[in-house]
């Protein structure tokens, strides 16, 4: 049975469907970037609010900015924006629920004006984003890339948007011209100070396009920082087969996730907000910084530790990495000796218990998050997840041994691009070729990999780090078998 609105009464006889009436829901949130994470995180929180009663003004309209979003647009058209969430517990328990909080989905390349109008509609209180790190148009030094061809096009043609900045500026201009309260711009991407980054980038764009609008946005629009967390693997055919076998339900793009959900949000909104904090795992705070730092330095960096080591060992999933005693030891040692000592106090969080919970989450045998996904775009991830720990420990005299060793392992991974069994690695990285060329020269120049300043910045100028790295990477190339390397720890 196809998942759609017409079949929903029949579907509800075999799988959980919330009781609220979709026809009564208004669209208070426009969300750009409707991938698996959004559908397993923010959208779930909205669904729970709607199911609890009230909150009817906070339905979601999804937006796809790229031609590549046409696949999900087509699926949502057939499924009336419905999809299934499959939550898998470490115990083997599985919960499945039809999600129906999305009121509409617009594919921007098909109708740009419809997207601008939806954002500009007074009913829209929040425009939220999961556009990945690459969508923010950052240069290597964290500034706005005005030279990007799409940005140049938008500066000359403000009524023909292509990027998120073109759409936001066009919609906010309409709100300003009509003297309407602006919407909040809320990033839900895995970037430290994501709200501050979004604000800086948008104002940089507007300063070049429309200084009057830039001034208004700077004064009137809120950009709350937030920290998001829920492990959401890429959907595979197994999820679709599961729904067919268990419920005779055909869903072309379900989402699977772990039971854990966390969302820390600064309470800073332009035009009202939902009571997100009525949902377990969601918290409003005045400063999200210590929570961000905790998550990035422990969860995200820990994922990279397991991902790179696991890839070189030929391990396919993160839970399988956690079955290896050596990898578990290395992970906890990195957390305890290098990451935790430089974390700030996190109100309401026991860091030892948090690390224990991460180990349980990583080991969940029913999530099976792919190592290749965790390693993807490491050139964008490690400068945020791992390098700050190295830099802070260098400034405070802390240990950098294990983090430096991981950089050496990443160099070898980028150079050889095979695991210890001789199998080719699936490497997904925009800088793959540049990193490969730099890593290939390591035997002649031990610091060659570090010369990719777009990734490593000024680390190569720190003699304490380069001395340790040079020794570590030579030792790694002499004995590259990961199981041998792990014996050091």
């Amino acid at each position: 049975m196809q998942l759609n609105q017409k079949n929903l009464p029949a579907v509800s006889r075999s799988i959980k469907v919330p009781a609220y009436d979709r026809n009564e829901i208004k669209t208070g949130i426009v969300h750009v970037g409707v991938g698996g994470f959004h559908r397993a995180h923010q959208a779930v929180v909205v669904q729970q609010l709607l199911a609890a009663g009230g909150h009817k003004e906070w339905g979601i309209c999804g937006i796809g900015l790229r031609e590549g979003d046409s696949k999900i647009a087509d699926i949502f058209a057939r499924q009336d924006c419905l999809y299934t969430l499959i939550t898998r517990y470490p115990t083997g328990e599985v919960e499945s629920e039809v999600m129906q909080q999305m009121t509409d989905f617009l594919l921007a390349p098909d109708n740009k004006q419809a997207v601008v109008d939806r954002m500009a509609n007074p009913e829209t209180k929040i425009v939220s984003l999961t556009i990945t790190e690459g969508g923010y148009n950052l240069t290597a030094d964290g500034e706005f890339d005005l030279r990007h061809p799409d940005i140049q096009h938008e500066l000359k043609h403000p009524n023909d948007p292509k990027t998120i900045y073109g759409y936001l500026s066009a919609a906010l201009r309409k709100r300003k011209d009509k003297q309407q309260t602006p919407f909040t711009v809320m990033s839900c991407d895995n970037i430290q100070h994501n709200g501050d980054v979004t604000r800086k980038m948008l104002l940089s764009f507007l300063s070049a396009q429309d200084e009057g609008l830039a001034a208004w946005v700077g004064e009137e629009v809120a950009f709350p920082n937030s920290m998001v967390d829920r492990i959401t693997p890429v959907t595979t055919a197994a999820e679709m087969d599961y729904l067919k076998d268990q419920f005779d339900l055909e869903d072309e793009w379900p989402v699977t996730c772990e039971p854990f959900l966390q969302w820390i949000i600064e309470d800073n909104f332009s035009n009202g907000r939902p009571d997100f904090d009525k949902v377990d795992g969601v918290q409003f705070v005045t400063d999200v910084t210590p929570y961000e730092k905790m998550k990035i330095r422990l969860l995200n960096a820990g994922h990279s530790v397991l991902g790179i080591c696991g890839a070189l060992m030929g391990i396919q999933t993160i839970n399988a990495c956690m079955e290896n005693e050596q990898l578990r030891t290395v992970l906890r040692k990195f957390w305890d000796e290098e990451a935790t000592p430089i974390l700030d106090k996190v109100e309401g969080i026991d860091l030892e218990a948090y690390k224990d919970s991460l180990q349980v989450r990583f080991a969940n045998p029913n999530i099976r998050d792919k190592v290749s996904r965790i390693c993807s775009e490491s050139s964008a991830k490690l400068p945020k997840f791992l390098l700050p720990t190295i830099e802070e420990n260098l400034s405070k005299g802390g240990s950098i041994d294990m983090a430096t060793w991981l950089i050496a392992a990443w160099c070898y991974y980028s150079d050889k691009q095979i695991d210890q069994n001789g199998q080719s690695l699936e490497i997904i990285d925009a800088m793959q070729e540049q990193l490969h060329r730099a890593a290939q020269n390591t035997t002649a120049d031990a610091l060659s990999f570090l010369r990719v300043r777009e990734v490593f910045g000024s680390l190569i100028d720190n003699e304490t780090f380069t001395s340790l790295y040079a020794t570590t990477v030579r030792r790694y190339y002499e004995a590259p078998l990961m199981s041998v390397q792990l014996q050091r720890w």
Side-chain angles (χ1 to χ4, degrees):
M1 182 164 42
Q2 175 71 45
L3 179 60
N4 56 41
Q5 189 66 38
K6 182 184 71 175
N7 291 336
L8 209 53
V11 169
S12 66
R13 290 195 285 268
S14 59
I15 190 171
K16 183 179 178 181
V17 176
Y20 64 85
D21 186 350
R22 291 182 84 199
N23 295 322
E24 297 179 358
I25 304 304
K26 296 181 179 179
T27 304
I29 301 171
V30 171
H31 184 82
V32 182
V34 185
F37 181 77
H38 165 72
R39 293 192 287 145
H41 190 268
Q42 179 192 355
V44 172
V45 173
V46 171
Q47 167 113 323
Q48 291 188 29
L49 282 179
L50 295 171
H55 312 285
K56 294 179 181 180
E57 69 275 27
W58 295 112
I60 301 171
C61 173
I63 305 292
L65 285 189
R66 307 165 300 140
E67 291 287 355
D69 294 315
S70 60
K71 178 181 176 182
I72 196 165
D74 291 343
I75 290 172
F76 276 166
R78 290 191 289 272
Q79 297 187 179
D80 300 317
C81 294
L82 301 172
Y83 66 95
T84 314
L85 182 78
I86 304 169
T87 305
R88 296 187 178 275
Y89 291 76
T91 58
E93 180 185 357
V94 182
E95 292 180 353
S96 301
E97 179 178 3
V98 172
M99 309 301 288
Q100 58 176 28
Q101 73 294 312
M102 195 167 294
T103 59
D104 197 5
F105 185 90
L106 302 175
L107 184 64
D110 284 357
N111 194 336
K112 296 182 178 184
Q113 192 58 49
V115 172
V116 173
D117 291 345
R118 182 67 265 176
M119 290 181 177
N121 189 311
E123 192 176 87
T124 300
K125 309 294 185 183
I126 296 171
V127 174
S128 53
L129 316 173
T130 47
I131 55 176
T132 76
E133 294 159 11
Y136 288 83
N137 197 45
L138 291 159
T139 62
D141 56 357
E143 299 301 319
F144 187 71
D145 184 6
L146 277 168
R147 297 173 298 176
H148 192 286
D150 288 345
I151 298 297
Q152 285 294 309
H153 171 87
E154 290 174 326
L155 294 177
K156 296 171 185 174
H157 307 282
N159 295 320
D160 186 28
K162 291 189 173 185
T163 73
I164 184 60
Y165 302 107
Y167 284 99
L168 289 175
S169 63
L172 286 166
R173 186 177 294 109
K174 289 189 70 172
R175 299 280 275 250
K176 175 178 178 290
D177 290 347
K178 293 183 179 181
Q179 298 184 326
Q180 294 171 344
T181 304
F183 48 76
T184 297
V185 180
M186 183 173 69
S187 171
C188 299
D189 277 298
N190 192 31
I191 298 172
Q192 262 190 296
H193 305 304
N194 51 20
D196 293 342
V197 169
T198 308
R199 183 179 191 274
K200 178 181 177 181
M201 296 303 105
L202 180 58
L203 290 180
S204 296
F205 174 81
L206 289 176
S207 295
Q209 188 195 63
D210 185 337
E211 290 186 355
L213 182 58
W216 184 77
V217 169
E219 292 178 2
E220 302 293 335
V221 179
F223 297 81
N225 292 309
S226 67
M227 184 271 272
V228 297
D229 188 7
R230 189 172 221 184
I231 296 173
T232 309
V234 173
T235 300
T236 68
E239 280 73 52
M240 291 174 268
D241 292 342
Y242 169 79
L243 294 174
K244 287 179 183 178
D245 294 342
Q246 293 295 315
F247 307 107
D248 190 28
L249 180 63
E250 185 176 341
D251 182 345
E252 297 179 58
W253 207 331
V255 180
T256 188
C257 64
E258 64 171 338
F260 181 91
L261 182 150
Q262 188 176 37
W263 192 8
I264 311 295
I265 317 166
E266 287 180 353
D267 199 354
N268 173 31
F269 290 78
S270 313
N271 195 5
R273 62 162 174 80
D275 294 328
F276 288 136
D277 55 339
K278 290 188 175 180
V279 175
D280 288 345
V282 186
Q283 182 179 354
F284 286 111
V285 298
T286 56
D287 182 10
V288 77
T289 303
Y291 300 89
E292 287 181 323
K293 188 175 180 181
M294 173 193 73
K295 188 241 181 175
I296 286 172
R297 303 282 184 94
L298 295 177
L299 184 146
N300 296 120
H303 256 155
S304 292
V305 169
L306 294 177
I308 291 170
C309 295
L312 288 168
M313 296 177 77
I315 299 174
Q316 300 300 310
T317 61
I318 292 297
N319 65 290
C321 289
M322 292 298 291
E323 294 171 6
N324 183 290
E325 184 178 356
Q326 286 181 307
L327 286 181
R328 291 198 306 273
T329 299
V330 164
L331 176 67
R332 193 68 187 224
K333 189 177 179 70
F334 165 73
W335 280 343
D336 292 344
E337 297 182 10
E338 299 190 13
T340 304
I342 54 174
L343 292 179
D344 304 319
K345 182 180 179 181
V346 189
E347 193 68 34
I349 300 290
D350 179 329
L351 288 176
E352 294 307 305
Y354 179 75
K355 288 182 285 188
D356 291 344
S357 73
L358 287 181
Q359 288 187 275
V360 172
R361 293 169 63 195
F362 288 174
N364 187 336
N366 300 300
I367 290 297
R368 301 182 62 80
D369 207 358
K370 287 188 176 181
V371 162
S372 58
R373 185 188 80 86
I374 296 301
C375 291
S376 68
E377 305 302 340
S378 287
S379 63
K381 293 175 179 176
L382 291 183
K384 299 176 178 67
F385 302 163
L386 183 68
L387 300 191
T389 293
I390 295 175
E391 292 163 352
E392 197 168 339
N393 275 321
L394 283 169
S395 69
K396 296 181 177 179
S399 171
I400 61 168
D401 291 351
M402 298 194 70
T404 303
W405 169 77
L406 186 69
I407 298 298
W410 185 32
C411 174
Y412 189 84
Y413 165 100
S414 301
D415 177 2
K416 305 302 182 183
Q417 301 190 9
I418 57 172
D419 64 27
Q420 64 186 24
N421 305 312
Q423 299 298 309
S424 295
L425 293 171
E426 181 186 6
I427 299 180
I428 306 165
D429 199 306
M431 295 186 66
Q432 176 183 352
E433 289 304 317
Q434 187 176 354
L435 292 170
H436 178 55
R437 289 193 300 270
Q440 277 185 309
N441 202 36
T442 296
T443 52
D445 172 12
L447 303 183
S448 177
F449 195 53
L450 302 182
R451 299 191 193 283
V452 184
R453 285 188 179 263
E454 297 94 322
V455 173
F456 296 103
S458 60
L459 258 182
I460 196 170
D461 301 324
N462 187 295
E463 293 184 7
T464 301
F465 174 72
T466 55
S467 176
L468 177 62
Y469 175 80
T471 300
T472 302
V473 78
R474 289 191 188 102
R475 188 181 300 161
Y476 198 99
Y477 272 68
E478 289 169 2
L481 196 65
M482 180 58 70
S483 56
V484 175
Q485 284 287 324
L486 290 172
Q487 291 173 10
R488 294 176 55 193
W489 311 108

